[in-house]
Amino acid sequence: MSEFINGLRAIVGDRHAVTRKDALKRFTEELRGRYQSDCMGVVFPGSTEEVSRVIRFCAAHGMAMVPQGGNTGAMGGTVSTPEQLIVNLQRLDRIVEVDRVNQTMTVQAGCILANIQEAAKDAGLLFPLSLGAQGSCQIGGNIATNAGGINVLQYGNTRDLVLGIEVVLADGRVWQGLNRLRKNNTGYDLRHLFIGSEGTLGIITAAVLKLFPYPGGRIVSLIGVETVSAALELMVSMKSASSDRLTSFELMSQRSVETAVTHMAQQRNPFDRFYPWYILAVVDSTEPDPQLRSRIETALEQAWTDSIVRDAVIAESESQSARLMLLREDIVEAQKFLGGSIKHDVAVPISCVPDFMDSAYRAIRDYMPEAIPYPYGHLGDGNLHFNITQPPNMDREVFLGHWKTINTLVHDIAHHYHGSFSAEHGIGITKLDEMEKYKSETELDLLRDIKSLFDPHGILNPGKVIR
Ligand code: MLT
Ligand code: ZN
């Protein structure tokens, strides 16, 4: 094995191939602590050419590789075994070009998402992908997992934000697909095969990203409603009042808001009582727009008159906007104060969300009456994190032992409403069974054929996405 590591060191340099156990921990630790991960080492190539040479070298030695960005994925997509090599892209962290006129940015795969957002802002532009891990996740990982986040409603998923990619294939060849064109209608679009493939078809080393005008005007409101149906009524009227400029329409349950207010030091109850559901709504415009603001106010007043809305606050300043947005971030963190939590990332057609919610609440009540639903999510996209928190008197591990059964209850209901068992977090190793359960034999056959075409010897992130 030391001969193998020496071979890698000859490619990337001595300092950039690590095998010391204590140094590996950061790369094998898994976000949710659900899986034991280990590896034979981590290699940090410093260029596309080095990635290519590493892959060729590994292919020649039959060594399986696990490509890795910021290691912030939630589905175990970068979990490795002691026989596998992690290929971490963090040294590929250069913003290559910002093109103001083309409104594109060319980046290497290891760029941290927040740095990309900053670079776009410095050019007066916006890269709209925004999610909790943005301070440490890398764009290569975002692309490989087709990450979602809170701005999908207006700008789409990562898939919609990527014009081109550069990929190193399983045999070391480089596919130079750094397309900067808005229109390029030339047959099969390989880019879309690699996006969301979680490193199972190739290693993404660079990308061309779409940029947008920076929203200099932002209207953030927090709204209390009685039912999810009322929230959807409100969404329809806010879309229309804002001329479809709704960037985020995020749902939070009473339980999640109460928990954040109780446990997160910076949180206060935004109203003088709690409501069954909350909406965080964000409307963006290129410039501050008083007329837009007054149309939003009118829509909210009308919704209050029509008993759709129970209470609402519109932020008066940037700092108040930031405070309201922090509530949405904090409910995720606050969950852990209630103990173990079984997570979901489902999507259903937006109009089916109320029925999905009713059915899912009922199913949990029937299965484990003391368990506590803790739903929140991207209502504007029909994407719900219908998470379940442990009964207060149950042992955490005993509760987590019900993970699979509770997942099945919730996923079956999403499926019943023609929904998805994984809306934005991907598959990794966590949802392999669901792939087999909910996808047709025809689709699975095609997916397996694609995998074996791109990676015939199964050396790229084996065992992820598809078995
Ligand atoms: C979110 O929407 O906050 C995240 O996708 C939730 C999560 O990480 O479970
Ligand atoms: Zn989410």
Side-chain angles (χ1 to χ4, degrees), residues 26-40:
R26 187 159 81 76
F27 305 97
T28 52
E29 241 162 24
E30 189 264 325
L31 181 78
R32 290 183 173 162
R34 285 190 71 199
Y35 305 105
Q36 284 299 330
S37 184
D38 199 351
C39 64
M40 56 87 56

Side-chain angles (χ1 to χ4, degrees), residues 131 148-150 250 328 332 344-345 376-378 383-385 424-425:
L131 38 89
I150 62 165
E250 297 285 308
R328 170 63 179 83
V332 182
H344 300 95
D345 170 34
Y376 59 90
H378 317 285
N383 172 196
L384 304 165
H385 301 302
E424 63 171 0
H425 294 167

